[in-house]
Each structure stands twice: as structure tokens, then as C-alpha cells.
Amino acid sequence: MTRKVLITGVTGQDGACLAQFLLEKGYEVHGMVRHSSSANLERIEKLRDRIELHQADLLDQLSIITTIQKVRPHEVYNFAAQSFVPTSWSQPLLTGEFTALGVTRMLEAIRLIDPSIRFYQASSSEMFGNVREEPQNEQTPFWPRSPYGVAKVYGHWITVNYRESYDIFACSGIMFNHESPLRGMEFVSRKVTDAVARIKLGLQDKLVLGNLDAMRDWGYAGDYIEAAWLMLQQDRPDDYVVATGIKHSVRDLVELAFGHAGLDCRDHVESDQKLFRPAEVNTLCGDASKARRVLGWAPKVSFAELIRMMVDADLERVRREKAARQP
Ligand code: NAP
Ligand code: F7E
């Protein structure tokens, strides 16, 4: 029997990546998209004729119920969220509605319609925030440092709670930062690789960043979505940290990206206090040994390979766009 999947946030980086992965595995793929006056389907453009899209919103319980009722999926991956940390300070209530209560709306719909549906919640290393130990694993206490991190802690615990209360096969993947050429432009990796391409091709001269000393455990999105899928294929539901176990500073990322394009970052990069966060997560580094042991999962793409892949993809895209603009 063909397995059916519903992906929320299918227009985002991870949703688009997972849709491609599950189509290759023979799944019937359904995606949840919210209404917008101009469609934002760029990341799934090439998959459009193979995915069925359903209009629903994390804010609207009835639209979620209607969608799950119609699709009757075997697996649901909840990737939809307000996922940009700085925006969570300017829009804390909306972030709470999407990123925290949205998870309960998804779980309530599953509980009402069919509690045998398997559920994946996209939890985040931002929950560790002001880290209590290093590296962080599934037992490390949470100390979120942004409204986004606080909302994700709620999403994590409500997922655990529906598993314990209603016996729903619900898993929480505590994922550390993961990137790809599909990453949103505002996140630091993509902001840097896009700027490198534009500087290299003479379209920009300066790149203004915030805190260059922050450390992150960056991995490749293509590796991480496979871990999410593996979680839902196990005999019992559980929670897993997904990470590489290696951390780098934003400064390392910048040097690597500029160096790969033959540029010296000291000629182009500035740090501006205005881009520092009200409360920073200074360092994150994950211990994914449980995922390695139980799921047989390990990252395949290294940090350097990832950044080079992103710079190359942006160079190609910016070159194409520049050529298209020339008379
Ligand atoms: P992303 O690119 O920002 O995608 C977010 C998705 O959520 C978009 O498709 C967006 O739709 C959708 N969305 C936002 N609000 C919605 C609403 N009210 N109703 C329905 N859909 C809504 O995020 P990502 O990087 O792919 O991350 C996927 C998930 O993993 C997120 O939950 C994120 O918080 C979490 N996470 C990400 C990372 C990471 O490093 N990437 C790490 C840990 C956890 P539009 O296209 O309409 O805006
Ligand atoms: O920032 C520093 C910034 O915005 C990384 C989301 O996917 O991963 C992501 O959250 C670091 C921070 O990601 C700039 O201060 C310096 O320390 O790329 P980011 P994030 O905040 O770690 C987690 C796991 C998620 O769950 C989130 O959804 O880089 N930084 N200068 C900068 N960051 C940005 N965005 N822009 C700068 O100019």
C-alpha cells in the first residue's frame, strides 16, 4: 500500500527537502500551505506536479482538521513555524501562536481523526539556549533565550505529553542548525553565501553581520530530514538530538565562504551592534549518539562541504540572474 504523508511547512527549506526525499521513496506526498496573496512555491517548483497542496493555517484549527480528514495520512511532519529567531522578539505572540500552540492544533486534529497517525515535531537546539552542559543531549535541561526558543520548548513538551496521554506515535527531533542552498536568505549561512556571490560578481561590496563570535553546530538539511523520517519508522516513538557534534564560529563560516570564492573577508565584512540579539545563544554543540545508536543515523556532509556547496549554488544563481538582466 502506498504510504501517504502530510508535510506542514512544505514551502520552507526542510519541507521542500523532505518532500523530494519521500517522493523518491514512493510516498504519496501532500503539503499544507497557508493562503498568501502571492504564492511562495519557489522551493517546490520542480515538484509541483507530484505533490498535492492543501490550504490550511497553523492558526486555524478547522482548516487543519479538514486537511487531515481529507488526506488521511500515515505520517505527519510538522515543519511549519515562525522559525526566524530575531522576529520572535518583534512578534512574540504570533511566534507563540504558530510555533507553540500550532503544535497542539496539529496533535488535537490527529487525536480526533485518527490517533494511529505518526507525528514528527520539528524541535530545536534553541531550546538549550544558555547551555547547561556541552555537548547537549536528550537529557540536557532547557534554558531558551528567545520567544522562539520558549515556543519550541512548549512544542516539544506538548508532543511528549500527547504521546504519554493518548499513546500517539509522536516524536520530537531536537535538531541543531541545518542549512542548504534552499536556506532562507535571512539566516546567517545563506546571508553570507549570497553576499559572497554578489561581491564576487561585482553587485555588492560590503556585508554587515552581527555577532561573529557565536558558535553553532551546523549540518546539512538533506542529512537531517532523513533522521526525521527514520524516527517515524521505528517500533516505538521517542525523542532524538540530531547534530554533527562539531561547532564553528560565525567568523569561521565567513572565512570559509569568502575563501572558497577567492575573496578576503577582511576587505568586505563588518560587524554592527544593531544586529546583535537581546539575548544571544553563545554556543551550541550536539551529542547525537542516541540517533546514531538507535536510528543508525550519521551526518554525511561536513561543514566545509556544506558551505562550499552553498557558495557554489549562490554563485551559479547570481550569475544566471545577472546574465538575464543584461540587454
Ligand atoms: P522555514 O524555511 O522558515 O519554513 C517554515 C515553514 O513554515 C514555511 O513553509 C512557512 O510557510 C510555514 N509557516 C509559517 N507559518 C505558518 C502558518 N501559520 N501556517 C502554515 N504554515 C506556516 O524553516 P525550516 O528551516 O525549513 O525549518 C523547518 C522547521 O524546523 C521549523 O519548525 C523550524 O523552527 C525547525 N527547525 C529548523 C532548524 C534549522 O536549522 N533549519 C533547526 C531546528 C528546528 P510560508 O512559505 O508561507 O512562509
Ligand atoms: O543565526 C549569528 C546569530 O539566524 C546563527 C533557525 O533555523 O537554527 C536557526 O536559528 C548565529 C546567531 O540561526 C548574523 O546571532 C551573526 O548566533 O542563522 P541564524 P539561529 O538563530 O541559530 C535553530 C536551530 C532554529 O531552530 C531556528 O529556527 O549567527 N549572526 N550575524 C547572525 N544571524 C543572522 N541571522 N544574521 C546576521 O547578520
Side-chain angles (χ1 to χ4, degrees), residues 38-313:
S38 56
N40 168 29
L41 304 176
E42 214 178 292
R43 292 188 181 97
I44 50 170
E45 203 56 65
K46 291 194 186 112
L47 313 175
R48 271 301 285 116
D49 53 346
R50 294 194 286 153
I51 308 180
E52 197 172 323
L53 298 181
H54 305 266
Q55 220 171 74
D57 199 298
L58 281 181
L59 295 182
D60 188 81
Q61 181 76 70
L62 192 56
S63 66
I64 296 173
I65 291 174
T66 311
T67 302
I68 295 186
Q69 190 96 59
K70 193 169 159 207
V71 175
R72 285 305 194 114
H74 300 97
E75 298 170 19
V76 170
Y77 293 83
N78 184 36
F79 283 140
Q82 190 303 95
S83 78
F84 189 49
V85 173
T87 297
S88 77
W89 277 286
S90 55
Q91 300 182 358
L93 295 176
L94 193 70
T95 300
E97 285 286 352
F98 285 10
T99 306
L101 287 178
V103 187
T104 311
R105 294 190 189 98
M106 293 300 299
L107 285 162
E108 273 294 271
I110 288 173
R111 183 178 74 80
L112 285 170
I113 296 163
D114 178 2
S116 75
I117 294 171
R118 295 187 169 203
F119 178 77
Y120 173 83
Q121 168 57 15
S123 292
S124 166
S125 52
E126 282 291 302
M127 301 190 301
F128 296 122
N130 192 10
V131 296
R132 302 291 81 205
E133 62 183 351
E134 185 166 298
Q136 297 84 48
N137 63 34
E138 294 78 7
Q139 310 308 324
T140 304
F142 299 142
W143 186 338
R145 295 269 286 168
S146 64
Y148 169 82
V150 173
K152 282 288 179 186
V153 171
Y154 175 95
H156 169 80
W157 283 119
I158 202 71
T159 301
V160 173
N161 182 259
Y162 271 55
R163 182 167 76 218
E164 293 175 354
S165 304
Y166 304 115
D167 207 19
I168 290 175
F169 194 112
C171 298
S172 171
I174 306 173
M175 297 213 173
F176 283 62
N177 300 51
H178 47 277
E179 324 292 309
S180 75
L182 296 183
R183 188 55 144 153
M185 290 288 186
E186 62 215 331
F187 298 94
V188 75
S189 62
R190 189 74 197 284
K191 184 173 169 182
V192 170
T193 61
D194 174 60
V196 164
R198 295 177 59 78
I199 291 169
K200 181 74 183 174
L201 297 172
L203 299 172
Q204 180 175 329
D205 185 43
K206 290 281 170 229
L207 168 63
V208 183
L209 295 170
N211 180 10
L212 300 178
D213 295 320
M215 312 278 291
R216 288 291 183 276
D217 177 340
W218 277 289
Y220 173 51
D223 289 341
Y224 285 40
I225 53 98
E226 184 168 10
W229 175 75
L230 283 167
M231 287 177 214
L232 295 202
Q233 312 314 309
Q234 303 305 304
D235 292 337
R236 46 180 290 272
D238 208 340
D239 309 318
Y240 299 88
V241 158
V242 181
T244 71
I246 302 169
K247 65 177 178 176
H248 297 272
S249 66
V250 173
R251 186 175 279 101
D252 293 339
L253 189 158
V254 166
E255 283 170 4
L256 185 61
F258 276 78
H260 182 57
L263 297 167
D264 187 339
C265 59
R266 287 170 299 185
D267 298 335
H268 304 282
V269 178
E270 291 167 9
S271 166
D272 188 334
Q273 283 287 336
K274 283 199 212 98
L275 293 180
F276 280 52
R277 298 174 180 187
E280 177 65 285
V281 171
N282 293 315
T283 181
L284 285 173
C285 186
D287 169 7
S289 47
K290 179 175 170 187
R292 193 179 289 266
R293 192 177 66 251
V294 181
L295 307 176
W297 178 85
K300 297 184 190 88
V301 177
S302 73
F303 174 69
E305 286 167 337
L306 168 66
I307 300 306
R308 288 198 292 263
M309 176 204 306
M310 292 175 69
V311 169
D312 289 342

